[in-house]
C-alpha cells in the first residue's frame, strides 16, 4: 500500500496553510523522554509528517538536533525558510513515510502528530517499522493517530487500506483520506521491538453543536526495546 499522503496537503500548504506553534502533547513528550544524560545538541529528534515544522521549531529553540520529513515540498520549503529566518538549525527533507532517508539507529525520539493517519493502516504499519529502524534501542516514539470514535470516522466513504474518503462531517472535512484506529489497530501497528509505555484515548465533545461532534485520538508512547 502507498505511504504517500493525499495531494490535498500539498495544495493546502502551497496556498499558505501554516502551523506555527507546537502541539502541547508534543512539548510534554519531548521534555519527559529526551535523554537527560546528554547535552541537548546531541539528542536527535525526528518528526514524520512534520508539515511546516512547528513542533521541531520548538525543539530546536530548546537546543535539540531536529530532522523532519514530509511529502509536501511547499511545507518543507516553509520550514527551511522559517528556521533560517530564526537562526535555527534543522534538517528538512521531502520523503515518504515508508522510506525514511536516514541511517539505522540514528534518533533518540520520533514524533507522529496524526500524520500517519493520512495513510492507510498497512501503509501506517510499514511507516512505524521504518521509525523503529531509524530509532535507537531505548528510544521513544510518540504515536498520535485519530480514533475510530472520532465524529468524522463515519462521515465519509470507505477507501483502500482502511482510509475514509470524502469526509463530510466533523473536524476532518477537507483533510483527504484519513485512517481511524481502534485499539486492535494500535497494537497491530506496534509489534516487537516496540513496548507500549503509555496508551491514552482522548475524547472531547462540542456540546454547543447540535450534532454533539466528537474529536477522538490516541496518544501513545512506545519504547524501542533492544534485540534479544
Amino acid at each position: 500500500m502507498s505511504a504517500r499522503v493525499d495531494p490535498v496537503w500539498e495544495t493546502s500548504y502551497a496556498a499558505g496553510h501554516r502551523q506555527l506553534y507546537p502541539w502541547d502533547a508534543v512539548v510534554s513528550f519531548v521534555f519527559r523522554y529526551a535523554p537527560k544524560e546528554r547535552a541537548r545538541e546531541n539528542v536527535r529528534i525526528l518528526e514524520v509528517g512534520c508539515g511546516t515544522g512547528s513542533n521541531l521549531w520548538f525543539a530546536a529553540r530548546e537546543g535539540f538536533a531536529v530532522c523532519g520529513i514530509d511529502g509536501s515540498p511547499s511545507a518543507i520549503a516553509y520550514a527551511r525558510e522559517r528556521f533560517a529566518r530564526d537562526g535555527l538549525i534543522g534538517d528538512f527533507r521531502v520523503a515518504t513515510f515508508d522510506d525514511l532517508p536516514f541511517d539505522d539507529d540514528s534518533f533518540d525520539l520520533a514524533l507522529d502528530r496524526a500524520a500517519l493517519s493520512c495513510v492507510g493502516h498497512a501503509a501506517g504499519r510499514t511507516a512505524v517499522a521504518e521509525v523503529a529502524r531509524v530509532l535507537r534501542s531505548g528510544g521513544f516514539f510518540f504515536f498520535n493517530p485519530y480514533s475510530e470514535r472520532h465524529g468524522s470516522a463515519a462521515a465519509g466513504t470507505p477507501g483502500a487500506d482502511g482510509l475514509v474518503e470524502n469526509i463530510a462531517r466533523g473536524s476532518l472535512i477537507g483533510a483527504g483520506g484519513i485512517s481511524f484506529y481502534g485499539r486492535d489497530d494500535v497494537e497491530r501497528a506496534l509489534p516487537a521491538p516496540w513496548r507500549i509505555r503509555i496508551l491514552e484515548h482522548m475524547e472531547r465533545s462540542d456540546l454547543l453543536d447540535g450534532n454533539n461532534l466528537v474529536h477522538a485520538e490516541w496518544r501513545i508512547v512506545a519504547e524501542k526495546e533492544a534485540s534479544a
Side-chain angles (χ1 to χ4, degrees):
M1 292 292 182
S2 174
R4 296 184 182 277
V5 301
D6 195 297
V8 68
W9 289 103
E10 167 59 16
T11 300
S12 177
Y13 288 124
H17 172 71
R18 302 288 182 262
Q19 175 77 28
L20 296 178
Y21 299 103
W23 294 89
D24 59 349
V26 170
V27 174
S28 297
F29 168 77
V30 168
F31 283 136
R32 180 171 179 180
Y33 290 99
K36 307 299 190 295
E37 69 277 8
R38 280 187 274 132
R40 286 184 176 181
E41 62 265 26
N42 297 322
V43 175
R44 301 189 74 211
I45 301 175
L46 170 67
E47 183 170 16
V48 292
C50 64
T52 52
S54 60
N55 292 318
L56 297 180
W57 174 83
F58 137 74
R61 284 171 59 91
E62 291 296 326
F64 297 103
V66 303
C67 300
I69 68 103
D70 201 276
S72 166
S74 295
I76 292 296
Y78 179 81
R80 289 170 176 166
E81 291 167 7
R82 186 185 189 192
F83 267 55
R85 185 170 64 246
D86 290 353
L88 299 173
I89 297 173
D91 179 0
F92 291 97
R93 309 188 195 187
V94 178
T96 58
F97 302 149
D98 61 346
D99 188 19
L100 298 178
F102 303 106
D103 293 336
D104 296 359
D105 308 314
S106 54
F107 292 96
D108 300 287
L109 301 179
L111 312 172
D112 159 54
R113 220 308 298 176
L116 296 185
S117 278
C118 296
V119 298
H121 286 145
R125 291 192 294 272
T126 299
V128 171
E130 268 291 273
V131 172
R133 179 183 66 78
V134 302
L135 197 66
R136 296 184 179 117
S137 294
F140 291 92
F141 175 39
F142 179 68
F143 183 37
N144 185 206
Y146 291 117
S147 164
E148 63 185 3
R149 293 173 63 89
H150 196 290
S152 293
T157 55
D161 195 18
L163 287 166
V164 177
E165 310 274 5
N166 306 311
I167 293 171
R169 180 173 175 268
S171 61
L172 296 175
I173 294 173
I178 297 291
S179 60
F180 297 91
Y181 282 66
R183 180 165 179 171
D184 287 348
D185 300 314
V186 168
E187 292 177 348
R188 277 195 294 270
L190 295 165
W194 295 112
R195 180 178 180 184
I196 296 175
R197 294 293 191 176
I198 293 178
L199 180 64
E200 296 180 339
H201 186 268
M202 318 291 289
E203 290 188 33
R204 65 176 185 268
S205 300
D206 184 352
L207 300 181
L208 295 181
D209 186 282
N211 294 315
N212 195 26
L213 291 177
V214 174
H215 176 96
E217 63 186 61
W218 295 94
R219 293 184 181 180
I220 301 141
V221 175
E223 180 181 6
K224 179 183 173 182
E225 296 193 303
S227 301

